[in-house]
Amino acid sequence: AKTLGEEVRAAPTARIFVTEEITEVSAEIAKALEGITDDRARYDAIDARRKALVAECEAPGGYRCDVYVFHGGAQYFLVRQMEIRDVRLVYAPSNAIGAYGGDIDNWIWPRHTGDFAYYRAYVGPDGKPADFNEANVPYRPRSHLKVQPKGVAERDYVMIAGYPGRTNRYRLAEEVRDAIEWQYPTLIARYRKVLGLIEEHTKDRPDAAIKYASSVMGFNNGLKNFEGNLDGFRSFDAVGIKTAEEEAIVAWAREQAPDGVRGYEEMRSQLAGLRERRERDQILQLLGGMSMMSAARDLYRLSIERAKPDAEREAGFQTRDEPRIKARLEQIERRFDAKVERAIVEWLLADYLALPADKRLPELDRWIAGAEGVAPDATRLAATLDRLYASELADTGKRMAWFGRARADIEGSQDPALAMAVALMPAWLRLEDESKRYQGEESRNRPAWMAARIAYAKAQGREVYADANSSLRVTFGNVQGYSPRDAVNYSAFTWHDGIVEKHTGKDPFDATEKQLAAIRDERFGPYAVDGRVPVNFVADLDITGGNSGSPVLNARAELIGLAFDGNYEAISSGWIFNPVLTRTIAVDVRYMLWVMDAVDGAHGLLEEMGIEPAFER
């Protein structure tokens, strides 16, 4: 965009969150649990207190607040964020730059990817968050990062402030073993099957292929993550390490922290129960991501929850959540094709029907069979899905006409998707209740075990940091390469030469002609080091999914890059951190500036950032 007026509105669900305050509320949660012994009651008490804290925090308007759980429930923190709802795209490089290497290079070092873009946050003329409006003005924060065009050098100190999603470093040895022996292998097989079905049913259908492009990218990313975890686990005895660690803590805690031992033993009992139903639950979880089923479920569930006082509504279906639900429903057709989804759902439900009868859900069996007292089979499943995918919910206008309708209206509808939601809701609610009871029990056991772990570590002179949970975290380290195998040494930087070396002219190694011309003409300006433009670099920083786009800062907290990936050899560091192999992959600020200046001519944006363009407009 050359002007503010040319900036493109982002997706309706796009938000920019500015973290303003973090407050520990552990005491408030603990007080709500006094005298409670029933597991479901524990869950409800925690849920009610968290909702009350969030409601109070969001009361002024313009904020999104959440209570984050640390150490499995040993601590709780309330985070208040300004929620900016008007977000516009300012600049993004060509896809051939931003996704250079595609799935082939995903998680791989060395890398030559320009994965960056710029958005602008807009607020109302009064400076407060507002819905999209042409009268809105750019948001002016109290402070902002300064871009350091000189970048960094090998061994320099760097840090990241970002929002890592989830790590599992304090999971039990049994949980690690379950991931290795069952979770990852089954997900790998199912993701491959889904990818195969998408490819089969989008062949010679470019419109459908475009709709599923982001889904394919997501499944491929997950697939490589699962495979990388298994490869990482093969390089060391993760279960053995965890088991030895737990045995030492338990031996110490029998005298020093007996509640921790109780929590440990009861968690192991809980895990045994999970294994009994994990096959069914994984299938149901994947089905829950299917657009037609989730749309009908959300419309019906919202009609049920709207009849309750807001504080009693299910989390995710409160008044604060309705704009997100609406935006999600409005955008379904951008990523939905009936033929593709029907094939995936039919395959998943065939897997479900192969389960023993006592592991299935009576309501789902009846819906598949199409009648009471009839055994579900492949023929009846096909007929039921024919009806489901003839639903009017496939049309955005008709789907949105149901948003906000009363429960009685939906229950009286003859639409096959809404009728499915009505038929299956008792099962969904029953499973939800089981999950809440499980979480209520876990809220007793895991904090007790974590308290013992923390006390044991302190007795050894060590500290214990909390697992990532999508809240703000800082990680620090140094720019440095690594050696993944004997006689293999990776340097810390990649350079523009590698773009040319990898270029084939075909996706995903199809560098743009403008980029190649700038390289041929050696138009590098001040962004080069000894005649070469640095593209990506690695540092021994601790990140995980959710950190993509996090700013990489130097010792003066100046922006010198953006994190966008981790290295394949250390994917399993989400379970056990390995400082020797773990590296964060970042796009170098000098490459970003060079692409903006020499390739795309984004000179106005450079000047706004305080950078003098090196090339003519």
Side-chain angles (χ1 to χ4, degrees):
K2 302 295 184 183
T3 66
L4 294 180
E6 292 180 11
E7 295 175 359
V8 180
R9 184 185 181 188
T13 52
R15 297 289 186 271
I16 287 176
F17 296 98
V18 184
T19 299
E20 293 190 350
E21 188 175 45
I22 301 174
T23 306
E24 185 169 4
V25 292
S26 304
E28 287 91 330
I29 301 293
K31 186 175 182 180
L33 294 175
E34 289 178 358
I36 296 177
T37 56
D38 178 73
D39 292 330
R40 175 58 198 266
R42 280 184 65 85
Y43 175 91
D44 290 339
I46 294 171
D47 184 57
R49 191 67 194 118
R50 290 175 71 173
K51 286 177 180 174
L53 289 165
V54 166
E56 181 181 2
C57 179
E58 292 181 348
Y63 290 103
R64 185 78 180 185
C65 303
D66 287 289
V67 175
Y68 288 86
V69 182
F70 287 72
H71 293 306
Q75 287 182 296
Y76 294 84
F77 285 86
L78 175 67
V79 178
R80 185 180 71 183
Q81 298 176 307
M82 177 187 287
E83 182 180 18
I84 298 177
R85 304 190 296 275
D86 187 348
V87 183
R88 306 182 198 181
L89 177 64
V90 180
Y91 167 79
S94 162
N95 189 63
I97 293 174
Y100 194 70
D103 288 328
I104 295 172
D105 272 5
N106 191 22
W107 297 98
I108 299 300
W109 184 256
R111 197 74 171 272
H112 300 83
T113 305
D115 194 353
F116 69 97
Y118 291 93
Y119 288 87
R120 192 187 305 276
Y122 281 79
V123 291
D126 60 358
K128 296 180 180 179
D131 291 331
F132 175 83
N133 191 301
E134 295 295 344
N136 288 347
V137 298
Y139 169 63
R140 302 295 180 189
R142 289 195 297 266
S143 59
H144 62 85
L145 297 177
K146 176 185 176 181
V147 176
Q148 177 48 263
K150 295 181 180 179
V152 288
E154 190 159 6
R155 304 304 306 173
D156 278 359
Y157 171 92
V158 287
M159 57 186 174
I160 286 177
Y163 295 80
R166 296 284 169 183
T167 54
N168 300 293
R169 294 183 186 149
Y170 305 112
R171 294 286 172 174
L172 302 189
E174 289 188 28
E175 291 174 286
V176 178
R177 187 180 66 243
D178 287 345
I180 294 171
E181 296 180 356
W182 184 82
Q183 181 184 349
Y184 288 141
T186 54
L187 283 173
I188 287 169
R190 286 190 164 126
Y191 274 34
R192 286 175 176 164
K193 179 65 176 181
V194 170
L195 286 166
L197 289 169
I198 293 173
E199 181 179 8
E200 176 186 349
H201 292 281
T202 58
K203 188 177 181 181
D204 300 324
R205 301 173 64 225
D207 289 347
I210 289 171
K211 287 183 176 183
Y212 279 85
S214 62
S215 296
V216 168
M217 188 179 298
F219 279 114
N220 273 318
N221 188 59
L223 188 60
K224 206 160 192 175
N225 180 285
F226 303 149
E227 291 170 339
N229 268 287
L230 290 180
D231 285 346
F233 286 136
R234 291 187 190 103
S235 66
F236 61 94
D237 181 13
V239 176
I241 292 170
K242 286 283 189 182
T243 300
E245 180 183 55
E246 287 169 16
E247 288 174 350
I249 297 171
V250 167
W252 176 86
R254 290 198 187 281
E255 296 294 331
Q256 306 295 328
D259 280 351
V261 178
R262 174 200 55 77
Y264 171 72
E265 292 172 345
E266 292 188 10
M267 270 197 298
R268 295 182 68 188
S269 177
Q270 281 190 275
L271 290 172
L274 276 186
R275 292 185 196 103
E276 291 296 313
R277 54 185 185 271
R278 64 187 181 185
E279 187 77 32
R280 179 202 67 189
D281 289 351
Q282 189 181 88
I283 294 171
L284 294 177
Q285 184 178 15
L286 291 170
L287 283 169
M290 299 296 107
S291 295
M292 184 63 72
M293 302 185 83
S294 64
R297 179 197 63 215
D298 289 351
L299 287 168
Y300 184 42
R301 184 65 183 274
L302 184 59
S303 74
I304 294 172
E305 298 302 322
R306 270 184 162 169
K308 306 175 185 177
D310 198 56
E312 296 176 16
R313 287 164 66 166
E314 182 63 25
F317 291 91
Q318 294 180 277
T319 302
R320 69 197 288 263
D321 303 306
E322 290 191 25
R324 289 185 176 185
I325 298 172
K326 184 178 182 182
R328 188 167 65 239
L329 289 168
E330 287 173 336
Q331 296 179 76
I332 281 177
E333 280 178 284
R334 296 172 59 180
R335 59 184 185 278
F336 167 78
D337 177 85
K339 182 179 180 182
V340 175
E341 185 170 290
R342 187 194 184 287
I344 296 171
V345 170
E346 188 165 22
W347 164 69
L348 285 170
L349 286 174
D351 264 12
Y352 163 81
L353 289 176
L355 297 174
D358 63 346
K359 294 291 190 290
R360 303 202 303 262
L361 303 173
E363 296 90 344
L364 183 52
D365 282 3
R366 281 196 299 272
W367 176 74
I368 292 171
E372 183 75 43
V374 179
D377 59 22
T379 302
R380 292 186 174 90
L381 171 59
T384 295
L385 293 182
D386 285 343
R387 292 191 295 272
L388 176 65
Y389 284 95
S391 166
E392 69 177 22
L393 297 192
D395 178 84
T396 299
K398 294 178 180 178
R399 180 171 62 251
M400 297 315 298
W402 286 100
F403 183 79
R405 292 282 291 274
R407 177 176 183 173
D409 293 337
I410 293 178
E411 290 177 345
S413 170
Q414 298 303 306
D415 180 83
L418 294 175
M420 173 211 67
V422 173
L424 299 186
M425 188 58 69
W428 288 332
L429 293 176
R430 188 170 65 254
L431 294 177
E432 188 176 282
D433 178 67
E434 291 175 6
S435 174
K436 289 177 178 180
R437 288 184 180 279
Y438 184 95
Q439 292 176 65
E441 184 178 0
E442 189 177 37
S443 73
R444 284 188 295 107
N445 298 331
R446 202 172 290 276
W449 171 240
M450 283 305 303
R453 287 193 67 127
I454 292 168
Y456 174 78
K458 287 186 176 181
Q460 310 298 312
R462 295 181 287 108
E463 293 292 334
V464 175
Y465 58 88
D467 262 319
N469 63 355
S470 298
S471 62
L472 181 61
R473 302 293 176 90
V474 175
T475 175
F476 56 92
N478 299 87
V479 176
Q480 57 180 311
Y482 66 105
S483 176
R485 295 177 298 281
D486 182 43
V488 176
N489 291 284
Y490 289 143
S491 58
F493 288 87
T494 57
W495 308 87
H496 77 261
D497 316 61
I499 296 172
V500 178
E501 291 169 0
K502 287 182 175 181
H503 175 68
T504 64
K506 297 181 180 179
D507 182 58
F509 297 105
D510 53 343
T512 68
E513 179 53 36
K514 287 195 299 182
Q515 188 179 22
L516 293 173
I519 292 173
R520 283 196 302 268
D521 297 341
E522 296 185 351
R523 291 194 298 122
F524 301 142
Y527 312 114
V529 179
D530 297 329
R532 297 191 299 169
V533 177
V535 179
N536 298 150
F537 65 87
V538 288
D540 61 345
L541 300 167
D542 184 6
I543 68 168
T544 191
N547 269 120
S548 294
S550 294
V552 187
L553 313 174
N554 64 14
R556 293 174 296 280
E558 297 167 327
L559 182 71
I560 47 83
L562 293 176
F564 69 91
D565 212 349
N567 59 323
Y568 185 82
E569 297 86 356
I571 290 176
S572 60
S573 67
W575 295 86
I576 298 179
F577 187 72
N578 183 343
V580 175
L581 287 180
T582 301
R583 294 294 182 272
T584 288
I585 303 174
V587 57
D588 195 295
V589 71
R590 291 164 290 191
Y591 183 61
M592 295 164 59
L593 298 175
W594 177 73
V595 170
M596 294 166 67
D597 194 349
V599 179
D600 288 335
H603 297 127
L605 183 57
L606 288 169
E607 290 171 349
E608 186 180 350
M609 295 162 59
I611 306 297
E612 182 66 30
F615 302 99
E616 295 182 2
R617 288 180 177 272

